[in-house]
Coordinates of all heavy atoms in Angstrom, one line a residue:
S65 N 62.5 223.1 141.1 CA 61.9 223.0 139.7 C 62.0 224.3 139.0 O 61.8 225.4 139.7 CB 60.5 222.5 139.8 OG 60.4 221.2 140.4
G66 N 62.2 224.3 137.7 CA 62.2 225.5 136.9 C 63.1 225.5 135.8 O 63.8 224.5 135.5
S67 N 63.2 226.7 135.1 CA 64.1 226.8 133.9 C 65.2 227.7 134.3 O 65.0 228.8 134.9 CB 63.3 227.4 132.7 OG 62.2 226.5 132.4
F68 N 66.4 227.3 133.9 CA 67.6 228.1 134.1 C 68.2 228.4 132.7 O 69.0 227.5 132.2 CB 68.6 227.4 135.0 CG 68.1 227.3 136.4 CD1 67.2 226.3 136.7 CD2 68.5 228.1 137.4 CE1 66.7 226.1 138.0 CE2 68.0 228.0 138.7 CZ 67.1 227.0 139.0
K69 N 67.9 229.5 132.1 CA 68.3 229.9 130.8 C 69.7 230.6 130.8 O 70.0 231.3 131.7 CB 67.2 230.7 130.1 CG 65.9 230.1 130.0 CD 65.8 229.0 129.1 CE 64.4 228.4 128.9 NZ 64.3 227.3 128.0
N70 N 70.4 230.4 129.7 CA 71.7 231.1 129.5 C 72.6 230.9 130.7 O 73.2 231.8 131.2 CB 71.5 232.6 129.3 CG 70.6 232.9 128.0 OD1 70.7 232.2 127.0 ND2 69.8 233.9 128.2
G71 N 72.7 229.6 131.2 CA 73.5 229.3 132.3 C 74.8 228.8 132.0 O 75.1 228.5 130.8
K72 N 75.7 228.7 133.0 CA 77.0 228.1 132.9 C 77.0 226.8 133.8 O 76.8 226.9 135.0 CB 78.1 229.0 133.3 CG 78.2 230.3 132.5 CD 78.8 230.0 131.1 CE 79.0 231.3 130.3 NZ 79.5 231.0 129.0
V73 N 77.2 225.7 133.2 CA 77.1 224.4 133.9 C 78.5 223.9 134.2 O 79.4 223.8 133.3 CB 76.4 223.3 133.1 CG1 76.4 222.0 133.8 CG2 74.9 223.8 132.8
T74 N 78.8 223.6 135.5 CA 80.1 223.1 135.9 C 79.9 221.8 136.7 O 78.8 221.6 137.3 CB 80.9 224.1 136.8 OG1 80.0 224.6 137.8 CG2 81.3 225.3 135.9
H75 N 80.9 221.0 136.7 CA 80.9 219.7 137.4 C 81.1 219.9 138.9 O 82.0 220.6 139.3 CB 81.9 218.8 136.8 CG 81.9 217.4 137.4 ND1 82.8 217.0 138.4 CD2 81.1 216.3 137.1 CE1 82.5 215.7 138.7 NE2 81.5 215.3 138.0
L76 N 80.3 219.2 139.7 CA 80.4 219.3 141.2 C 80.9 218.0 141.8 O 81.8 217.9 142.6 CB 79.1 219.7 141.8 CG 79.1 219.9 143.3 CD1 80.0 221.0 143.8 CD2 77.6 220.2 143.8
A77 N 80.3 216.9 141.4 CA 80.6 215.5 141.8 C 80.0 214.6 140.9 O 79.2 215.0 140.0 CB 80.1 215.3 143.3
P78 N 80.3 213.3 141.0 CA 79.6 212.3 140.0 C 78.1 212.4 140.0 O 77.5 212.3 141.1 CB 80.1 211.0 140.6 CG 81.4 211.3 141.2 CD 81.3 212.6 141.8
G79 N 77.6 212.8 138.9 CA 76.1 212.9 138.8 C 75.5 214.2 139.3 O 74.3 214.4 139.3
K80 N 76.4 215.1 139.8 CA 76.0 216.4 140.3 C 76.7 217.6 139.6 O 77.9 217.5 139.4 CB 76.3 216.5 141.8 CG 75.6 215.4 142.6 CD 76.0 215.4 144.1 CE 75.4 214.3 144.9 NZ 75.8 214.3 146.3
Y81 N 75.9 218.6 139.4 CA 76.4 219.8 138.7 C 75.9 221.0 139.3 O 75.0 221.0 140.1 CB 76.0 219.7 137.2 CG 76.6 218.5 136.5 CD1 75.9 217.3 136.6 CD2 77.7 218.6 135.7 CE1 76.5 216.1 135.9 CE2 78.3 217.5 135.1 CZ 77.6 216.3 135.2 OH 78.2 215.2 134.6
I82 N 76.4 222.2 138.9 CA 75.9 223.5 139.3 C 75.6 224.3 138.0 O 76.5 224.3 137.1 CB 76.9 224.2 140.2 CG1 77.0 223.6 141.6 CG2 76.5 225.7 140.3 CD1 78.0 224.2 142.5

Side-chain angles (χ1 to χ4, degrees):
S65 300
S67 300
F68 294 79
K69 301 290 186 181
N70 301 323
K72 297 289 186 181
V73 175
T74 52
H75 183 261
L76 181 62
K80 300 177 185 178
Y81 298 82
I82 289 179

